[in-house]
């Protein structure tokens, strides 16, 4: 996956532009639900999993325990790339909840998001096949993106 950009930290969270592919579109030229889930998953990669991030080790073991997506407006294929703002709603010992706001490329960052979502991500030790605690560095990085008002997803 080639990203429009690698993202940037803002007051609202971590913002990434994700290209919309032809295959992401449904018969009505909207972004298909399953593809939207994939696109927000892809947005997390430069924020959490790139080398040099305190959370980079999560790429070796991080599972989705819960996912909620709300569509507030249509997002059409020709409105891409989508702009995904990500932030943290909650951090606990082994898991954290990421909030997402998805907007078409032409939207202002202050416009209501077209899509809101949350995922509960759990740190997992693949070799031991069990949950693992987040490290202090992982927790500190995640907490730096903490937002108290959620997405409403």
């Amino acid at each position: 996956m080639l990203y429009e950009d690698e993202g940037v930290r803002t007051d609202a969270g971590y913002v990434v532009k994700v290209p919309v592919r032809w295959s992401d579109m449904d018969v009505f030229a909207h972004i298909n639900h399953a593809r939207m889930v994939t696109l927000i998953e892809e947005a997390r990669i430069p924020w959490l999993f790139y080398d040099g991030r305190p959370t980079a080790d999560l790429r070796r073991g991080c599972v989705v325990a819960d996912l909620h997506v709300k569509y507030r407006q249509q997002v059409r294929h020709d409105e891409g790339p989508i702009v995904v703002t990500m932030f943290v709603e909650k951090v606990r010992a082994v898991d954290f909840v990421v909030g997402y706001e998805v907007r078409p490329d032409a939207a202002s960052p202050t416009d209501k998001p077209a899509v809101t979502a949350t995922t509960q991500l759990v740190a997992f030790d693949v070799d031991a096949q069990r949950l693992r605690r987040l490290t202090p560095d992982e927790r500190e990085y995640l907490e730096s993106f903490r937002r108290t008002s959620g997405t409403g997803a």
Side-chain angles (χ1 to χ4, degrees):
M1 173 88 232
L2 297 175
Y3 295 95
E4 183 77 13
D5 61 40
E6 292 187 1
V8 62
R9 181 190 283 266
T10 70
D11 289 341
Y14 198 84
V15 180
V16 176
K17 287 186 177 185
V18 181
V20 178
R21 299 164 293 244
W22 183 259
S23 61
D24 295 333
M25 179 174 48
D26 67 15
V27 69
F28 302 109
H30 302 119
I31 298 175
N32 172 280
H33 168 70
R35 298 300 190 141
M36 180 61 73
V37 171
T38 298
L39 292 169
I40 65 172
E41 180 180 76
E42 290 172 356
R44 285 195 307 260
I45 294 169
W47 176 41
L48 296 176
F49 304 129
Y50 273 10
D51 286 341
R53 302 275 191 245
T55 50
D57 279 347
L58 287 172
R59 68 183 174 215
R60 293 187 296 138
C62 185
V63 295
V64 174
D66 192 42
L67 167 71
H68 296 270
V69 181
K70 283 195 177 183
Y71 296 91
R72 302 178 182 288
Q73 302 175 71
Q74 64 180 345
V75 181
R76 299 180 55 81
H77 177 270
D78 61 1
E79 295 177 309
I82 59 170
V83 180
V84 182
T85 302
M86 297 165 289
F87 52 92
V88 173
E89 291 185 356
K90 183 189 305 183
V91 179
R92 297 187 314 180
V94 300
D95 68 330
F96 56 102
V97 176
V98 175
Y100 306 85
E101 296 172 343
V102 179
R103 293 174 178 84
D105 190 38
S108 163
T110 58
D111 288 348
K112 287 186 88 169
V115 177
T116 58
T118 60
T119 53
Q120 177 188 17
L121 299 170
V122 180
F124 194 76
D125 182 329
V126 175
D127 294 333
Q129 286 296 295
R130 66 174 178 240
L131 306 179
R132 73 160 178 85
R133 290 191 168 279
L134 293 167
T135 68
D137 287 344
E138 289 169 339
R139 290 180 59 82
E140 182 180 351
Y141 182 72
L142 294 167
E143 287 285 357
S144 76
F145 288 96
R146 182 84 179 250
R147 192 196 288 181
T148 55
S149 61
T151 63

